[in-house]
């Protein structure tokens, strides 16, 4: 085979189609199924080359009743491959049995994808990272120990999939599997052992007889036939490509935004940028992209890793609740369709590259006069340009790619969005007052003389003590002061100072709450300093220390430390008192956790009283009825501080409203309550509040995306649905291919009101449009005439249709409309 040419941008250029592509997996199996092979161009499924548009969906981050809807929306968005990690529902898989039930029912999830006609990429791990607590499972780096337990788990998963006939070699949907995950990031720390481990993991996976290719992401030295794949935001420009000319270019994680960390500002990635990255990758011989995440979902319970927020990848094409996030979902759908119309050329055509001037280029795939696709690219991030390609002039917006599936007709541009937009709103649920009353139980603040206290002459490390059974570890000690030890001046007070290795603490002196301090995702350790009131005689210091999830990345995770390690009292008349080597007592977890008072059977085990606000280390509970309809249900905790929430015994996740981002706002105040967790009446909310908040301010809301918008100019390409491939040719299937604005209400609703309409040069985002200096006054009336009372409508994008003033200088000839559906 001819050697691949390396382009200056870093990505391997495609091998031309006249080369002989080498396959590496047996093409036919005993039961007659062709299975999966691959070559330098693509994966080959059951004898057919495929363009694969994958979406990551982590089944435990949603609920089984949500899976069918998520799959359906993914398929309608052009996704033909579901990618997921393998999760299990046990704390100690080394000793326990792997549990694939409920939200962890992998078999059910894979079969649902198969019913939708989609393929599956199974990322087995067993270490997955994925912002999941401890990266799912961590073993100390003892080669024998790791190899035994890792093979035990991977074999268990493969055998389970074989038993259910879910591999493509058996006629199932699983076409590729992954062993390990981003190991290259830690490999150097283990020196020769790391290289040896990767070879062993590869050999082990191949020996299991799954009958599909295996891959390793971010593993540039993936051995033998194991495919190395890319993770990142722009693999079309940043990746060196496969480590063998016989392997295809696979993008296993194209980050649709970024997961959120408590204390972070909002993270966003535009639909235009995401589409550009995908078109760029496919223009350079890529044939599979996976959106990480396509549906983000929720980190229920204590499943999130260190400092990761409960809402996971809400900026994905399907938001946390599984609703379409437009225009990201629709723009990518249109991109997928444009690439599918170019499929034959991309998969079989010979490649050529042509410079079209400064910052402009054409990448062409052509098999014959009928099969030809071109990607015209303007890489300049600021300036638009016009280029000439094959005798025709084409306008290219800044940092955009135009796709020409016949090398003549632009049917899609990454910078021009034809898809509709939407914005999300939250509506309060009106509740009956008599079921809104809160009750409370204040948890016990221990002292060193309590029963069951573990004593030691220094504070013990937190993670080793809690063993991931709880976030919380109490530290308590006592000391005696004489009257002459206390400050004599009224303006001086003793100060408690402690140093912690992470992640957060709440401190008490003689039972009185002093305050809180915490680290961050970047720097877990911190120092706490608060003044306190002490007395002559015995004084008690009690500290509630905690982790906010365990780490999920980096080498030697089993050696990570947390908790209090230095404690002093400053400001005494007799100097600083070092309590670090004092006798310390330790108590794992909370009384309420041990009695499980977040569950109905545990309610009667404690005495509940009428609730009071601003009480630290307190459990609150009340009842509510399920909101009518099918809209997602959420709880607003903006009046609380930090803690955990349960609904009907199901862990909703950690909340941390008091941890503000650099913008001065909480990272997250709204938390998802899946409808499958609810009963028709008398659902019980239990909130454990650490620092003190006002439970009366907690509200139940429903989420909607009923405000839909369009923002299309005269310079946009025609709608992607205007084109089809007929008899090998790209043909128009519309009477007149021109830009149009499409609006369609969700869930069988109709357009109830037009809240904004302007033709000219409007600006802003859906939910916040403003009229520009050029505006056709009759736009609003004309849009109402066409759209009111309808489930969908199509609006022309032409100045004449809205009686626009042709003398208006500076118009962008853009139509912006926002309507409300009900």
């Amino acid at each position: 085979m001819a050697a691949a040419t390396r382009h200056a941008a870093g990505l391997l250029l495609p091998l031309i189609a006249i080369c002989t592509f080498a396959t590496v997996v047996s093409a036919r199996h005993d039961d007659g199924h062709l299975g999966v092979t691959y070559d330098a161009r693509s994966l080959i499924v059951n004898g057919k080359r495929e363009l694969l548009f994958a979406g990551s969906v982590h089944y435990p981050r949603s609920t089984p009743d949500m899976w069918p809807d998520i799959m359906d929306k993914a398929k309608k968005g052009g996704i033909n491959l579901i990618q997921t990690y393998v999760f299990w529902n046990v704390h100690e898989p080394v000793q326990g049995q792997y549990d694939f039930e409920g939200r962890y029912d992998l078999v059910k999830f894979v079969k649902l994808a198969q019913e939708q006609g989609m393929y599956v990429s199974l990322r087995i791990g067993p270490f997955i990272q994925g912002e999941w607590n401890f990266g799912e499972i961590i073993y100390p780096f003892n080669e024998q120990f790791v190899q035994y337990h890792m093979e035990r788990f991977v074999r268990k998963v493969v055998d389970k999939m074989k038993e259910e006939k879910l591999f493509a070699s058996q006629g199932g949907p699983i076409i590729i599997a992954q062993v390990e995950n981003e190991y290259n990031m830690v490999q150097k720390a283990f020196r020769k052992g790391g290289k040896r481990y990767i070879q062993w993991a590869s050999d082990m996976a191949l020996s299991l007889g799954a009958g599909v290719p295996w891959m390793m992401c971010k593993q540039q030295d993936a051995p033998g036939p194991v495919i190395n794949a890319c993770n990142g935001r722009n693999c079309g420009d940043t990746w060196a490509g496969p480590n063998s000319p016989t392997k295809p270019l696979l993008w296993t994680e194209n980050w649709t935004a970024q997961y959120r960390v408590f204390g972070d500002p909002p993270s966003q990635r535009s639909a235009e940028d995401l589409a550009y990255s995908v078109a760029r990758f496919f223009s350079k011989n890529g044939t599979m992209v996976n959106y990480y995440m396509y549906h983000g979902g929720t980190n229920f319970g204590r499943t999130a890793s260190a400092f990761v927020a409960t809402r996971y990848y809400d900026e994905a094409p399907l938001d946390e609740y599984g609703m379409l996030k437009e225009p990201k979902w629709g723009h990518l759908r249109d991109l997928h369709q444009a690439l599918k119309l170019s499929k034959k050329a991309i998969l079989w055509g010979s490649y050529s590259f042509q410079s079209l001037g400064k910052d402009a280029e054409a990448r062409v795939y052509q098999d014959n006069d009928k099969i030809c696709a071109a990607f015209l690219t303007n890489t300049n991030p600021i300036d638009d340009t016009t280029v000439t390609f094959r005798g025709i002039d084409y306008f290219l917006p800044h940092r955009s790619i135009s796709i020409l599936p016949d090398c003549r007709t632009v049917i899609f541009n990454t910078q021009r969005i034809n898809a509709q937009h939407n914005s999300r709103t939250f509506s309060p649920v009106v509740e009956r007052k008599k079921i809104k009353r809160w009750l409370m139980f204040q948890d016990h603040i221990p002292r060193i003389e309590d029963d069951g206290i573990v004593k030691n002459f220094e504070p013990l490390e937190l993670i080793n003590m809690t063993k991931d059974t709880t976030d919380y570890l109490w530290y308590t000690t006592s000391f005696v002061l004489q009257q002459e030890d206390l400050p004599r001046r009224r303006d001086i007070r003793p100060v408690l100072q402690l140093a912690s290795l992470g992640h957060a603490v709440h401190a008490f002196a003689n039972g009185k709450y002093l305050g809180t301090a915490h680290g961050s995702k970047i720097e877990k350790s911190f120092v706490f300093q608060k003044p306190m009131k002490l007395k002559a005689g015995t004084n008690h210091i009690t500290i509630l220390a905690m982790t906010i999830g365990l780490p999920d990345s980096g080498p030697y995770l089993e050696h990570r430390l947390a908790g209090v390690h230095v404690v002093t009292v400053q400001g005494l008349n007799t100097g600083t008192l070092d309590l670090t080597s004092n006798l310390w007592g330790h108590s794992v977890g909370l009384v309420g956790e041990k009695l499980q008072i977040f569950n109905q059977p545990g309610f009667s085990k404690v005495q509940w009283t009428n609730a009071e606000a601003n009480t630290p280390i307190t459990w609150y509970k009340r009842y509510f009825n399920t909101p009518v309809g099918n809209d997602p249900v959420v709880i607003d905790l903006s009046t609380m501080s930090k803690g955990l929430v349960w609904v009907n015994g199901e862990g909703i996740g950690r909340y941390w409203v008091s941890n503000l981002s650099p913008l001065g706002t909480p990272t997250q105040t709204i938390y998802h309550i899946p409808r499958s967790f609810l009963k028709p009446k008398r659902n019980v909310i239990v909130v454990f509040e650490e620092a003190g908040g006002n439970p009366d301010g907690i509200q139940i809301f429903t989420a909607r995306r009923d405000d839909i918008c369009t923002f299309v100019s005269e310079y946009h390409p025609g709608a992607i649905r205007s084109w089809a491939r007929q008899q090998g040719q790209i043909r128009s299937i519309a009477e007149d291919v021109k830009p149009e604005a499409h609006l369609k209400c969700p869930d069988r609703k109709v357009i109830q009101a037009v809240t904004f309409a302007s033709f000219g040069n409007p600006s802003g985002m859906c939910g916040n449009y403003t009229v520009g200096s050029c505006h056709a006054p009759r736009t609003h009336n004309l849009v109402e005439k066409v759209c009111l009372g309808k489930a969908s409508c199509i609006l022309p994008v032409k100045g004449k249709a809205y009686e626009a003033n042709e003398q208006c200088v500076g118009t962008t000839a853009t139509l912006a409309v926002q309507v409300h559906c009900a």
Side-chain angles (χ1 to χ4, degrees):
M1 180 179 295
T5 304
R6 189 176 298 275
H7 185 254
L11 184 68
L12 288 178
L13 290 180
L15 298 173
I16 59 175
I18 59 173
C19 293
T20 301
F21 296 104
T23 57
V24 297
V25 181
S26 177
R28 187 175 294 276
H29 299 268
D30 293 340
D31 55 8
H33 295 291
L34 290 174
V36 186
T37 65
Y38 69 75
D39 58 24
R41 183 58 64 88
S42 70
L43 293 181
I44 303 169
V45 183
N46 294 323
K48 292 176 60 179
R49 294 194 184 281
E50 293 283 0
L51 290 183
L52 295 169
F53 308 107
S56 280
V57 179
H58 293 166
Y59 48 99
R61 283 176 161 138
S62 55
T63 55
D65 65 301
M66 295 173 65
W67 296 345
D69 183 59
I70 291 168
M71 298 275 192
D72 180 64
K73 289 173 178 173
K75 184 177 181 181
K76 289 176 179 174
I79 297 299
N80 58 8
L81 172 67
I82 294 294
Q83 180 165 284
T84 190
Y85 287 127
V86 176
F87 300 81
W88 58 87
N89 186 22
V90 286
H91 285 298
E92 297 183 49
V94 173
Q95 300 168 0
Q97 295 300 310
Y98 305 112
D99 176 13
F100 297 106
E101 297 179 353
R103 290 205 312 275
Y104 295 81
D105 193 338
L106 174 63
V107 170
K108 180 177 180 179
F109 182 80
V110 172
K111 286 184 175 179
L112 278 172
Q114 185 176 25
E115 289 171 12
Q116 285 281 359
M118 290 191 284
Y119 299 124
V120 172
S121 169
L122 202 61
R123 306 178 77 180
I124 297 175
F127 176 66
I128 62 172
Q129 191 171 329
E131 294 71 58
W132 195 262
N133 193 49
F134 233 18
E136 188 63 294
I137 186 170
I138 299 297
Y139 299 124
F141 195 80
N142 173 289
E143 285 191 62
Q144 266 190 321
F145 185 85
V146 169
Q147 290 176 12
Y148 171 78
H149 290 292
M150 180 173 174
E151 181 172 356
R152 178 171 175 256
F153 177 76
V154 176
R155 186 177 295 278
K156 170 80 173 180
V157 174
V158 170
D159 287 349
K160 185 73 172 174
M161 298 300 102
K162 282 183 179 179
E163 179 186 320
E164 299 288 340
K165 298 189 182 303
L166 294 176
F167 285 110
S169 55
Q170 304 170 292
I174 301 172
I175 62 171
I176 192 167
Q178 179 178 305
V179 65
E180 254 300 342
N181 186 65
E182 298 188 346
Y183 186 77
N184 189 58
M185 298 174 68
V186 301
Q187 183 172 330
K188 288 183 180 179
F190 301 113
R191 301 179 183 176
K192 291 182 180 179
K195 183 78 171 178
R196 195 162 54 238
Y197 168 73
I198 281 298
Q199 184 65 58
W200 170 85
S202 171
D203 293 342
M204 180 271 293
L206 293 168
S207 74
L208 298 178
V212 299
W214 288 84
M215 63 181 176
M216 290 179 172
C217 66
K218 273 192 174 180
Q219 193 66 41
Q220 203 60 23
D221 61 348
V226 175
I227 302 168
N228 59 304
C230 183
N231 290 359
R233 287 176 71 109
N234 295 289
C235 284
D237 286 320
T238 60
W239 186 35
N243 61 9
S244 165
T246 64
K247 297 178 183 180
L249 282 71
L250 307 183
W251 191 352
T252 38
E253 290 187 16
N254 183 1
W255 303 324
T256 54
Q258 186 66 37
Y259 66 90
R260 299 290 303 282
V261 169
F262 286 119
D264 268 3
S267 170
Q268 297 181 331
R269 189 180 186 188
S270 71
E272 296 94 330
D273 182 63
L274 193 54
Y276 177 90
S277 73
V278 175
R280 185 74 166 160
F281 187 69
F282 278 78
S283 78
K284 293 185 172 185
N285 202 33
T287 52
M288 188 195 92
V289 64
N290 174 65
Y291 299 104
Y292 190 99
M293 299 288 296
Y294 196 78
H295 166 65
T298 306
N299 291 312
F300 297 112
R302 299 175 52 252
T303 57
S305 64
F307 288 91
V308 172
T310 300
R311 171 181 288 161
Y312 188 66
Y313 267 95
D314 187 45
E315 290 289 315
L318 300 180
D319 70 11
E320 181 184 11
Y321 318 117
M323 297 189 292
L324 303 182
K325 182 172 179 59
E326 297 277 37
K328 192 170 284 186
W329 180 86
H331 195 45
L332 294 177
R333 173 204 59 200
D334 292 350
L335 168 63
H336 301 154
Q337 182 60 21
L339 291 169
K340 286 175 185 176
L341 289 171
S342 310
K343 178 178 177 179
K344 283 189 177 181
I346 293 173
L347 291 176
W348 294 104
S350 298
Y351 168 82
S352 63
F353 171 85
Q354 178 184 349
S355 174
L356 299 178
K358 186 177 182 295
D359 301 324
E361 63 186 37
R363 296 177 184 268
V364 180
Y365 294 86
Q366 186 164 6
D367 189 40
N368 54 46
D369 290 341
K370 290 184 178 181
I371 299 176
C372 182
F375 297 82
L376 306 186
T377 303
N378 177 7
T379 60
N380 191 294
I382 300 172
D383 296 329
D384 302 338
T385 190
T386 299
V387 300
T388 301
F389 174 68
R390 297 192 174 184
I392 301 174
D393 290 341
Y394 294 91
F395 174 76
L396 296 179
H398 60 280
R399 198 171 185 270
S400 75
I401 299 177
S402 288
I403 299 177
L404 292 63
D406 59 357
C407 286
R408 291 189 305 274
T409 310
V410 175
I411 67 167
F412 181 88
N413 179 273
T414 59
Q415 195 67 236
R416 302 296 200 198
I417 295 178
N418 283 326
Q420 74 178 21
H421 304 232
N422 64 24
S423 65
R424 188 171 60 194
T425 57
F426 297 96
S427 302
V429 175
V430 178
E431 300 179 81
R432 291 185 292 124
K433 287 186 178 179
K434 69 177 184 178
I435 67 168
K436 199 177 178 181
R437 184 167 60 96
W438 286 95
L439 300 176
M440 65 177 276
F441 164 71
Q442 188 167 22
D443 211 288
H444 177 62
I445 301 173
R447 290 187 172 185
I448 194 166
E449 62 266 20
D450 289 351
D451 293 337
I453 293 288
V454 176
K455 296 179 182 178
N456 192 65
F457 279 101
E458 64 179 357
L460 294 171
E461 197 277 325
L462 188 152
I463 296 175
N464 186 57
M465 288 291 292
T466 60
K467 293 180 170 59
D468 198 25
T469 58
T470 175
D471 286 359
Y472 304 107
L473 177 65
W474 288 101
Y475 295 84
T476 180
T477 192
S478 63
F479 56 96
V480 177
L481 293 178
Q482 304 300 321
Q483 187 63 46
E484 57 266 28
D485 294 324
L486 298 173
R488 297 179 181 178
R489 289 170 45 181
R490 292 184 178 180
D491 61 332
I492 295 178
R493 295 172 62 192
V495 171
L496 177 66
Q497 177 174 292
L498 65 89
S500 173
L501 297 170
H503 297 166
V505 298
H506 302 282
F508 300 80
N510 296 323
K512 184 175 180 180
Y513 183 68
L514 300 181
T516 183
H518 59 82
S520 68
K521 177 75 172 180
I522 297 173
E523 181 53 69
K524 310 279 187 305
S525 60
F526 61 92
V527 173
F528 171 97
Q529 290 179 311
K530 291 288 182 180
M532 58 185 170
K533 186 175 182 180
L534 298 178
K535 61 184 180 180
T538 302
N539 292 271
H540 295 272
I541 298 295
T542 306
I543 302 161
L544 180 61
M546 70 204 71
T547 52
I548 298 102
L550 297 180
D552 73 319
S553 61
Y556 301 110
L557 292 186
E558 71 275 17
H559 297 310
R560 302 294 175 89
L561 304 175
V564 175
H565 68 105
V566 176
V567 184
T568 62
V569 178
Q570 297 180 323
L572 296 175
N573 200 39
T574 47
T576 297
L577 175 62
D578 190 345
L579 296 176
T580 306
S581 298
N582 210 38
L583 181 65
W584 283 90
H586 305 79
S587 179
V588 174
L590 309 163
V591 170
E593 284 182 300
K594 296 168 186 174
L595 298 178
Q596 295 191 351
I597 65 173
F598 47 81
N599 249 327
Q600 189 77 36
F603 291 165
S604 61
K605 296 178 181 179
V606 298
Q607 183 66 45
W608 298 87
T609 60
N610 290 333
E612 298 176 8
N614 300 315
T615 308
I617 319 300
T618 298
W619 299 79
Y620 296 99
K621 73 166 185 174
R622 78 165 174 91
Y623 294 86
F624 71 100
N625 294 334
T626 298
V628 297
N630 298 313
D631 293 326
V633 180
V634 300
I635 183 170
D636 181 2
L637 296 166
S638 57
T639 62
M640 304 302 284
S641 180
K642 181 182 181 300
L644 295 160
V645 188
W646 293 261
V647 172
N648 294 332
E650 296 279 0
I652 301 303
R654 300 182 181 96
Y655 69 91
W656 199 354
V657 177
S658 59
N659 190 346
L660 303 183
S661 80
L663 304 179
T665 56
T667 301
Q668 184 177 351
T669 59
I670 301 288
Y671 294 80
H672 184 206
I673 306 174
R675 281 191 174 264
S676 62
F677 290 2
L678 301 177
K679 303 176 293 185
K681 294 183 178 180
R682 288 189 65 77
N683 301 286
V684 62
I685 308 171
V686 176
V687 177
F688 173 64
E689 170 57 48
E690 297 170 13
N694 179 12
D696 287 333
I698 295 175
Q699 288 184 281
I700 303 296
F701 286 83
T702 55
R704 298 184 178 92
R705 286 190 179 269
D706 287 346
D707 292 319
I708 62 174
C709 305
T710 185
F711 195 89
V712 180
S713 80
E714 291 183 359
Y715 310 112
H716 279 55
I720 194 72
R721 68 194 74 182
S722 304
W723 303 97
R725 184 172 287 279
Q726 297 176 343
Q727 299 177 340
Q729 297 286 325
I730 295 297
R731 300 184 188 278
S732 167
I733 55 175
E735 290 184 8
D736 184 12
V737 179
K738 57 183 182 300
E740 292 177 331
H742 293 250
L743 292 168
K744 184 178 180 180
C745 288
D747 306 322
R748 297 189 295 276
K749 297 174 182 177
V750 298
I751 296 171
Q752 187 183 59
V754 178
T755 54
F756 181 90
S758 176
F759 186 92
N761 60 346
S763 61
M765 302 286 290
C766 188
N768 191 29
Y769 287 133
T770 57
V771 172
S773 58
C774 300
H775 167 67
R778 293 201 59 203
T779 307
H780 194 279
N781 291 339
L782 293 169
V783 171
E784 282 188 332
K785 186 176 179 180
V786 174
C787 295
L788 278 183
K790 297 179 181 178
S792 64
C793 62
I794 300 175
L795 296 164
V797 183
K798 198 73 175 174
K800 284 186 178 180
Y802 304 99
E803 301 179 13
N805 183 356
E806 295 182 1
Q807 303 305 314
C808 185
V809 177
T811 182
T812 57
T814 298
L815 175 67
V817 176
Q818 178 173 324
V819 302
H820 179 72
C821 300

